[in-house]
Amino acid sequence: MCDARHTAATLLIEQGVNIRVVQQVLGHTRVTTTERYTHVSIPLMRDAGERLASALWGHP
């Protein structure tokens, strides 16, 4: 069951669902618990880096 919760949390985050919504779906009372269930993929980290570069230096 625990693996399914990790998978669900990660897939929801990958789809852009807000962490607070994921928290409600999983039934956690604290968002810190939800954060332990999520894993960030390489594409999401890359996207975050590109967004930061765009914000700092105006690169698309």
Side-chain angles (χ1 to χ4, degrees), residues 6-37:
H6 283 269
T7 300
T10 299
L11 288 174
L12 289 169
I13 292 294
E14 294 265 336
Q15 296 301 310
V17 176
N18 184 282
I19 189 82
R20 297 286 183 179
V21 176
V22 178
Q23 174 189 358
Q24 291 295 312
V25 169
L26 296 179
H28 296 151
T29 56
R30 296 187 177 138
V31 77
T32 54
T33 303
T34 307
E35 289 170 341
R36 287 193 300 253
Y37 275 83

